[in-house]
Amino acid sequence: MSSSGSGTSDGGANGVCLPGPGTAAQDEPELAEGLPILDLTVLRELEEDMGGSGVARAFAKDYIGIWTKRLAYLERSVADNDPELAMDAVLSLKNSAFMVGGSRLASLAVESERLIRAGDLPALRMLLPVVAQTGAQTITALKRTYLRGR
């Protein structure tokens, strides 16, 4: 089931719905859990826009190939207490997750961005294992549902 079209919150890019104004910040990680790991409509729309599946499949494969580097960059920047590099890392993670249909991961990246802006790297440090696990689940979902047999 896709999360696109939900009318109760601000729509994020690529059909990912984000909490609306006034939503308590502490509720955001729980909202991420309610989102699908992978929204295949995002990749299907990319296929339509590009006139075939080649570009979307290549993007998904590239996303999988660079995931560990993106995660390591975020983890390293947080471990080094470097909010500027952490923001760079989380924006890369957020944008790529939106583009590949990683709804839950994109929502966690939005929460991570909020934590950085609030100067709360310790809270982000505690969220990193969830980000890592969700990223791994996104990779698995891409391999099993989108790239299988291709």
Side-chain angles (χ1 to χ4, degrees):
M1 180 164 117
S2 168
S3 63
S4 58
S6 174
T8 59
S9 60
D10 287 335
N14 297 319
V16 177
C17 295
L18 302 176
T23 301
Q26 64 269 18
D27 293 340
E28 291 177 11
E30 289 79 25
L31 287 172
E33 291 178 16
L35 292 172
I37 289 292
L38 185 62
D39 180 356
L40 287 175
T41 61
V42 174
L43 290 166
R44 300 292 183 226
E45 288 171 3
L46 181 59
E47 288 177 359
E48 284 181 31
D49 291 345
M50 295 294 139
S53 64
V55 171
R57 287 190 346 222
F59 180 75
K61 288 177 184 177
D62 290 345
Y63 177 86
I64 290 168
I66 199 168
W67 164 249
T68 55
K69 289 180 183 178
R70 276 196 180 105
L71 179 62
Y73 181 38
L74 178 59
E75 290 172 334
R76 186 174 52 254
S77 64
V78 172
D80 291 346
N81 289 311
D82 190 330
E84 188 173 309
L85 289 181
M87 183 62 78
D88 183 55
V90 84
L91 290 175
S92 173
L93 190 148
K94 178 181 80 170
N95 292 331
S96 62
F98 274 130
M99 290 176 65
V100 81
S103 302
R104 194 175 302 175
L105 184 59
S107 181
L108 287 168
V110 167
E111 170 64 4
S112 298
E113 181 181 0
R114 185 195 67 76
L115 291 170
I116 295 166
R117 290 188 192 284
D120 197 352
L121 288 182
L124 177 55
R125 191 172 291 112
M126 292 174 40
L127 188 60
L128 286 177
V130 177
V131 171
Q133 178 183 18
T134 304
Q137 291 170 334
T138 302
I139 298 301
T140 299
L142 280 167
K143 289 177 179 177
R144 287 186 181 161
T145 63
Y146 186 68
L147 295 173
R148 73 172 186 273
R150 295 180 186 203

